[in-house]
Amino acid sequence: MIELPSIYNPEQTESKRYDVWMKHGLFGSQPDPKRSPFTIVIPPPNVTGSLHMGHALNNTLQDVLIRWHKMKGDNTLWIPGTDHGGIATQNVVEKMLKKEGKTRHDLGRETFLKRMWRWRQDTGDTILHQLRKIGCACDWDRTRFTMDEASSKAVMTAFVELYRRHLIYRGRRLVNWCPRCFTALADVELDYVESAGHLWHIRYPFADGSGRTLVVATTRPETMLGDTAVAVHPDDKRYADARGKTLRLPLMDREIPIVFDAAVDPAFGTGAVKVTPSHDAADFEIARRQNLPHEMVVGYDGRMTDRAGKYAGLSLKECREKVLADLTAGDFLEKEEPYKHSVATCYRCATVIEPLESSQWFMKTGDLAKRAAHATEVDRVQIFPESWEKPYIHWLTNNRDWCLSRQIWWGHRIPVWYCLRCSRLNEDQLGQIARDPTFQLESTKMILRESASDPIVREEDPVVCPRCGKEEIIQDPDVLDTWFSSALWPISTLGWPKKTQDLSYYYPTSVLVTGHEILYLWVARMVMMGEELASEVPFRHVFIHGIVRDKHGKKMSKSLNNVIDPLDIMKKFGTDALRFALISSAIPGRDMQLSDDSFVGARNFANKIWNASRFVLTNLSDHRRTGLPPDKMDLSDRWIRRRCVETLKNVDAFVEGYDLAQAARTLYSFFWGEFCDWYIELAKIRLQGLGGPAENPPPKPPTTDAALAAKETLATVLDSVLRALHPIMPFITEELWGALGETLGEKTEGCLMAAPGRVPALFDSPAASEADMRAMEVLMETVTALRTVRSEMNVPPGKSVPLLVNAQNALPFNKGLLETYGDYVKRLGKVSEIRFIGKGEKPAQAAAAVASDFELFIPLEGLIDFEKEKQRLSKEVVSLDADLQRLQARLSNPDFTARAPQEEVTKAKDRHTEVTAKKQRLQTHLAALAKD
RNA sequence: GGGCGGUUAGCUCAGCGGUAGAGCAUUGCCCUUACAAGGCAGGGGUCAGAGGUUCGAAUCCUCUACCGCCCACCA
């Protein structure tokens, strides 16, 4: 006999379970053509990270799917791993260096990278260990890292291959530059922050000395130093006579042309735009079309360059102040007005982004993106919930080429070399490269990229130049965007570029589970890469979940100090409670708000499961599963079995549609609201007798068929629900399922996790009929009505009372129920005896109720408070009356009876009859009461 | 500027054409040997507002207001 404590202790259960699963090899998977695979590749967390609520949610969702499919019999594989995290990770280590008073340049590239690797070695796997703590069933033998050998190989191969296919190219473009991280960023790596700025209107005088001016508006006056034109719309009549004219750029005293370009919106401001090709993406395009020169006045360090004349060396902020002051002094400033606009910031360090011209590597995404969009349009990649499909496709069909190169050191170095000998480099340029071997200056890199030889694109270091045979070749200093390797993750983890068995068996994977914040950053790019390089999309389904927020709807962040640490929650409430709370809050398509309180309910549920199981187990100590014949079953047995089967089927449907929250809630309400609240209480009649455990000896000793049927059903239903709950709450269910098996003498080596999700006995036994279901409803309604009267008349819960029933007007079927299943009412309503009375018998001094078509009386000699009873009954009559009026209105509407489905009309009529009868009976009692 | 989501009980949220729901909080009674992290019963809502479609609208459509996200070469 197993002894279980009366309060569930998660720590005790959790500490041992995971190791047992590991020991049984339940997380591993090998290709097996006889079974269908179910595969998930983890969204690799950054090595910098420690587990936060978002990870906990994301990985619990995946774990639920993996465990559910495993129990369904699929060959499940979940590949874990981490991402090197490019800029984010480099920032972390640079911060550590800063505390030592050093920069990465003090160490040099090689030493710095050694330091990075050492740091990764020491702390990089923390998060993977934390995933074990929350129970994730990953195949740890396949743990990968985006910079491990195989992944790096995949990255190199992909780059070279895409270059060969002319999908990767080198170009001088306007890029998003973070002056703090000192690198270019892709468009999707920006965060836009709403900012209350100003719009300055500046007068540019015509160069003809006429004194006429043209007013332009700008939010960034300092960039005017780099203006090389002013643009107006070609059809703008206001400027028709300006064709061919030039302006004199204030402060710089340069002559700049007026150009005509359709990109200008004549309705905005004055309809004239200053054109700064080097510092504004739109202007860059205008300059290209209009063939304008570029003036780069802002440098990579965020300060003004020599081209800014007397402003050189100033920071942007200082420069703006000085420019404004000088414009005012020269009477060029027409007005200044407040203006709200959004400013691009670095998604890693929140520094304001400067659009700057730079030489970078790009990926041509136009065609790839169109193909990716198409894949979703024809459901080769299905998005759940569907509401994300539109934004996803919209982004795919509108994005610009992807800037791949980053000017940092941590990452995959671009597999491109240049020959210094085959080049057109002069002595000065060679000298600069020699003086700046780590390319701290953007200009050094530019020399290399644009003046050295054509790029030699190779997976491996060519060592010597393939053209001239000289050894003076030098590798491109940049590394690849961290999302480049992430984009290859589903194929690289399965062995690509090798044609592995894994790849042919597990690819495409089944589902990708992720938050919507990286839908574009990551998901879209995986689809593009998969289609292009592996000739097939990387996953069939994309399951998008919400973002975890605090109880005020704010994103959790350290700076806001509103973070709820999943590890704390696990310690306080248990891992299963954490998981259940997360899953049941994961409503498709919606973000979730969590507070500490969110987990209390789940903790209580775990305890409920524990105690219900404890009850079942203590009653099964002498039981062996027999497969008892159905005719031995009680009404309640048939009822709960049917309800259980229905519940499990509903849960299956919810899981298949990725509505795990519904699945969790469905199980919760079945287990607590039906199994515990009703079935277990009813089973006690056969296990403990009518009067409860104190009754001695029990009138029905637990060896009868009736008791056996109850035990059989308790065992079967508990077994089933534990299995269904296991994917969500793996620890407690595993523990209890093991204890159940042991109690029943069925001890096996197996784990619940490896068990099939179905208990055949439950699904094979004949289901309850519709009549059975209706019978249970009537009995439950009777019990509830009885309890209500007792409670409202202050009958002490412990006190047994006789129950008088007038069933004169009841259906024979219902009356028969009370005769056959009177014990249900006796036990659950604490009734000593049920006596049927005739129509004329008016029980004196009794509280009355109506349930189904019974009139119920509880004699309360001397205890009854007539006033209170009158009030109670009148109140119920009033509410019934309201009901009745609504029904009446509906039924008397000819349109309703004519046009509504017959089923609805019948329902309304039945209900009308029912309510009328109930109201009449109550009124009779009221009248009788008045007479007393 | 475009798109998406939200507005339902004091709080957090389900429901998304046919009698308004859950958890927490609250009130009353109960330490009934599975569980007080519990049981039983109760109170509490013109489902943001205005129109429309429909026999019938919290649910579908239109508009409005407020909140939150996402996208956009927002000068």
Side-chain angles (χ1 to χ4, degrees):
Chain A
M1 172 102 182
I2 298 170
E3 291 289 344
L4 300 175
S6 70
I7 289 178
Y8 173 53
N9 179 345
E11 220 164 309
Q12 216 171 48
T13 294
E14 290 163 18
S15 59
K16 54 195 181 196
R17 286 294 151 197
Y18 201 85
D19 293 339
V20 176
W21 292 325
M22 288 288 280
K23 210 180 72 205
H24 283 81
L26 292 176
F27 300 163
S29 171
Q30 291 305 320
D32 174 0
K34 292 191 291 291
R35 296 168 62 205
S36 59
F38 179 83
T39 316
I40 297 181
V41 176
I42 202 171
N46 279 359
V47 283
T48 48
S50 79
L51 192 84
H52 58 60
M53 222 25 117
H55 293 124
L57 169 68
N58 176 251
N59 289 290
T60 302
L61 289 167
Q62 293 175 75
D63 197 46
V64 171
L65 294 174
I66 286 285
R67 286 173 187 266
W68 188 77
H69 277 275
K70 186 170 185 69
M71 295 177 79
K72 235 182 89 185
D74 291 338
N75 184 4
T76 56
L77 170 63
W78 185 7
I79 302 177
T82 47
D83 192 289
H84 64 281
I87 301 166
T89 311
Q90 176 162 323
N91 282 352
V92 169
V93 175
E94 280 193 283
K95 245 180 226 162
M96 287 163 52
L97 281 179
K98 200 175 169 189
K99 278 187 193 146
E100 299 164 25
K102 289 185 212 156
T103 70
R104 73 186 211 238
H105 301 287
D106 295 335
L107 301 189
R109 187 162 187 149
E110 222 171 294
T111 315
F112 178 77
L113 284 177
K114 269 189 199 149
R115 177 95 185 230
M116 290 286 310
W117 276 103
R118 205 174 68 216
W119 181 84
R120 189 217 115 54
Q121 220 89 51
D122 293 347
T123 60
D125 285 339
T126 311
I127 195 154
L128 295 182
H129 290 287
Q130 291 168 328
L131 290 184
R132 288 177 172 84
K133 278 219 72 175
I134 66 174
C136 293
C138 302
D139 186 352
W140 299 108
D141 294 340
R142 293 177 185 256
T143 303
R144 294 288 300 273
F145 175 53
T146 49
M147 270 170 76
D148 63 24
E149 212 184 314
S151 298
S152 300
K153 163 80 177 145
V155 166
M156 295 304 126
T157 306
F159 187 95
V160 172
E161 193 52 44
L162 293 168
Y163 179 79
R164 279 202 197 115
R165 297 181 194 179
H166 305 289
L167 290 168
I168 285 180
Y169 64 91
R170 184 173 66 163
R172 188 177 168 82
R173 289 284 186 80
L174 209 69
V175 298
N176 312 299
W177 185 267
C178 174
R180 203 221 59 87
C181 298
F182 218 80
T183 182
L185 295 169
D187 294 340
V188 276
E189 289 177 301
L190 309 182
D191 281 334
Y192 286 88
V193 179
E194 188 82 350
S195 143
H198 298 272
L199 196 59
W200 284 277
H201 297 248
I202 306 168
R203 280 191 283 269
Y204 285 19
F206 277 73
D208 57 14
S210 63
R212 186 180 163 193
T213 60
L214 197 156
V215 178
V216 299
T218 180
T219 54
R220 305 186 59 203
E222 65 280 7
T223 62
M224 68 166 290
L225 305 175
D227 284 2
T228 59
V230 167
V232 298
H233 194 274
D235 302 334
D236 196 328
K237 295 204 179 66
R238 290 170 291 180
Y239 304 109
D241 66 332
R243 203 168 284 271
K245 298 240 164 78
T246 57
L247 300 165
R248 187 146 291 275
L249 181 63
L251 310 187
M252 295 306 278
D253 208 30
R254 271 193 283 115
E255 199 170 320
I256 56 171
I258 297 171
V259 297
F260 294 80
D261 195 285
V264 179
D265 175 6
F268 188 95
T270 56
V273 188
K274 59 191 271 311
V275 181
T276 321
S278 291
H279 303 295
D280 184 283
D283 295 0
F284 187 88
E285 289 305 313
I286 293 175
R288 198 175 46 77
R289 285 193 292 270
Q290 308 290 338
N291 210 8
L292 298 169
H294 293 202
E295 279 291 345
M296 201 156 143
V297 291
V298 181
Y300 299 98
D301 55 359
R303 289 181 173 273
M304 305 311 288
T305 66
D306 292 343
R307 305 293 306 170
K310 64 172 181 171
Y311 304 94
L314 296 180
S315 73
L316 284 154
K317 193 169 161 251
E318 293 161 349
C319 184
R320 175 177 297 184
E321 283 164 18
K322 193 145 199 303
V323 163
L324 285 171
D326 291 350
L327 284 173
T328 309
D331 195 27
F332 294 111
L333 201 57
E334 187 175 86
K335 65 172 170 178
E336 171 190 327
E337 56 188 14
Y339 188 74
K340 265 216 307 222
H341 62 136
S342 49
V343 176
T345 61
C346 173
Y347 81 140
R348 286 306 174 203
C349 71
T351 303
V352 173
I353 291 297
E354 291 304 322
L356 290 181
E357 266 187 88
S358 170
S359 171
Q360 303 285 347
W361 288 93
F362 292 89
M363 189 158 136
K364 211 181 281 178
T365 50
D367 286 345
L368 294 181
K370 276 195 194 81
R371 277 163 61 201
H374 185 252
T376 289
E377 279 155 2
V378 300
D379 277 354
R380 280 171 54 229
V381 175
Q382 253 183 295
I383 312 247
F384 296 84
E386 221 174 296
S387 54
W388 276 105
E389 190 174 311
K390 222 166 101 174
Y392 172 73
I393 287 176
H394 179 259
W395 184 85
L396 278 172
T397 42
N398 286 289
N399 74 86
R400 296 192 300 169
D401 284 356
W402 174 12
C403 177
L404 293 177
S405 38
R406 296 289 179 275
Q407 288 65 54
I408 58 173
W409 291 348
W410 177 242
H412 300 100
R413 189 142 172 196
I414 292 181
V416 172
W417 287 262
Y418 306 91
C419 176
L420 297 181
R421 276 306 137 206
C422 290
S423 66
R424 304 164 287 269
L425 296 175
N426 59 37
E427 286 309 311
D428 282 355
Q429 291 172 321
L430 285 171
Q432 182 170 345
I433 290 175
R435 280 193 307 278
D436 182 16
T438 55
F439 299 87
Q440 286 190 54
L441 300 173
E442 180 71 9
S443 60
T444 317
K445 194 185 80 186
M446 300 270 282
I447 291 169
L448 185 73
R449 284 232 179 110
E450 290 175 14
S451 310
S453 68
D454 288 339
I456 306 160
V457 181
R458 291 283 175 84
E459 288 184 37
E460 314 260 329
D461 188 342
V463 186
V464 296
C465 170
R467 281 180 292 264
C468 70
K470 296 266 171 34
E471 282 186 34
E472 290 172 60
I473 59 167
I474 189 161
Q475 188 172 3
D476 195 294
D478 288 355
V479 299
L480 285 165
D481 180 1
T482 188
W483 295 102
F484 189 86
S485 56
S486 308
L488 300 171
W489 186 243
I491 60 177
S492 69
T493 49
L494 289 170
W496 188 91
K498 283 190 223 142
K499 289 196 163 129
T500 59
Q501 230 194 324
D502 279 353
L503 205 54
S504 61
Y505 180 73
Y506 294 113
Y507 192 88
T509 65
S510 309
V511 56
L512 179 91
V513 182
T514 185
H516 53 72
E517 75 274 21
I518 50 177
L519 186 57
Y520 314 133
L521 209 52
W522 188 44
V523 179
R525 286 158 172 181
M526 282 191 284
V527 178
M528 294 191 237
M529 291 289 202
E531 286 249 72
E532 181 63 27
L533 297 171
S535 311
E536 178 56 283
V537 296
F539 26 74
R540 289 291 172 216
H541 293 169
V542 179
F543 171 22
I544 295 173
H545 58 253
I547 311 249
V548 176
R549 301 175 182 281
D550 74 1
K551 61 177 163 185
H552 306 293
K554 292 252 185 331
K555 240 179 181 167
M556 286 191 186
S557 77
K558 280 180 196 148
S559 54
L560 287 174
N561 198 27
N562 62 350
V563 174
I564 302 175
D565 185 345
L567 298 170
D568 288 347
I569 296 296
M570 283 158 67
K571 220 189 265 166
K572 208 162 148 195
F573 301 107
T575 301
D576 289 320
L578 168 78
R579 293 174 57 121
F580 188 85
L582 287 173
I583 295 296
S584 54
S585 317
I587 309 297
R590 296 207 44 186
D591 290 348
M592 61 178 74
Q593 298 183 199
L594 296 175
S595 67
D596 263 33
D597 297 341
S598 319
F599 302 94
V600 174
R603 188 269 316 265
N604 294 352
F605 182 44
N607 197 48
K608 189 75 180 178
I609 296 170
W610 183 261
N611 276 297
S613 304
R614 210 158 64 89
F615 171 81
V616 174
L617 292 185
T618 53
N619 281 287
L620 292 183
S621 53
D622 58 348
H623 186 71
R624 292 296 173 270
R625 278 199 255 207
T626 55
L628 208 70
D631 60 2
K632 303 281 192 256
M633 299 226 182
D634 189 85
L635 170 65
S636 63
D637 296 330
R638 295 195 296 278
W639 170 76
I640 197 68
R641 280 167 178 263
R642 172 161 163 172
R643 284 297 305 129
C644 189
V645 169
E646 285 169 353
T647 300
L648 298 186
K649 282 184 180 158
N650 290 340
V651 167
D652 279 1
F654 287 131
V655 174
E656 263 155 32
Y658 297 103
D659 191 346
L660 301 192
Q662 269 304 354
R665 289 162 194 234
T666 304
L667 285 167
Y668 178 98
S669 66
F670 171 74
F671 190 85
W672 200 319
E674 299 186 273
F675 184 58
C676 292
D677 289 350
W678 290 98
Y679 182 74
I680 286 185
E681 293 307 320
L682 289 172
K684 284 177 180 173
I685 299 168
R686 287 172 287 168
L687 298 170
Q688 304 172 343
L690 270 180
E695 205 172 334
N696 195 18
K700 290 175 185 170
T703 48
T704 59
D705 281 350
L708 282 177
K711 291 180 182 183
E712 192 72 8
T713 302
L714 282 171
T716 306
V717 174
L718 179 65
D719 189 348
S720 297
V721 187
L722 289 177
R723 289 180 203 224
L725 279 167
H726 178 262
I728 305 174
M729 309 177 88
F731 293 100
I732 189 173
T733 52
E734 184 75 68
E735 170 107 15
L736 291 170
W737 190 77
L740 177 66
E742 206 177 315
T743 304
L744 293 170
E746 297 169 4
K747 197 179 173 195
T748 58
E749 282 304 296
C751 293
L752 170 54
M753 190 190 164
R758 290 279 175 270
V759 180
L762 183 70
F763 282 78
D764 293 348
S765 65
S769 63
E770 293 306 323
D772 285 340
M773 302 308 277
R774 176 64 196 153
M776 274 302 290
E777 258 176 59
V778 170
L779 290 164
M780 286 158 81
E781 198 188 327
T782 307
V783 168
T784 302
L786 185 54
R787 284 167 167 175
T788 304
V789 177
R790 290 185 57 126
S791 169
E792 294 194 341
M793 297 312 289
N794 293 324
V795 179
K799 186 177 162 64
S800 276
V801 295
L803 176 66
L804 308 183
V805 181
N806 179 349
Q808 295 292 308
N809 298 315
L811 292 171
F813 173 79
N814 289 348
K815 186 175 181 199
L817 281 178
L818 272 199
E819 283 159 355
T820 316
Y821 299 105
D823 284 358
Y824 288 16
V825 178
K826 284 185 186 165
R827 167 92 192 196
L828 269 50
K830 196 81 180 155
V831 165
S832 55
E833 59 164 326
I834 299 174
R835 198 149 52 78
F836 289 96
I837 56 173
K839 200 167 193 169
E841 297 180 49
K842 187 185 81 66
Q845 302 220 333
V850 175
S852 181
D853 47 10
F854 306 126
E855 293 176 49
L856 309 174
F857 301 94
I858 303 172
L860 291 171
E861 307 108 67
L863 291 176
I864 193 156
D865 177 338
F866 287 100
E867 255 337 284
K868 199 171 169 186
E869 174 74 349
K870 261 195 268 185
Q871 272 170 23
R872 193 175 66 79
L873 293 175
S874 325
K875 208 181 68 189
E876 207 174 337
V877 168
V878 167
S879 110
L880 285 176
D881 216 39
D883 249 15
L884 215 49
Q885 268 172 33
R886 243 199 333 263
L887 287 163
Q888 192 84 22
R890 258 217 279 179
L891 286 167
S892 60
N893 179 353
D895 285 334
F896 174 71
T897 42
R899 298 198 203 183
Q902 204 46 50
E903 189 193 321
E904 286 302 325
V905 179
T906 314
K907 235 161 79 181
K909 277 184 185 157
D910 289 353
R911 190 161 160 70
H912 185 265
T913 318
E914 204 180 307
V915 176
T916 309
K918 192 165 178 176
K919 188 186 146 193
Q920 269 167 11
R921 286 177 198 135
L922 286 175
Q923 274 173 332
T924 315
H925 300 317
L926 262 175
L929 230 48
K931 262 195 280 174
D932 285 342

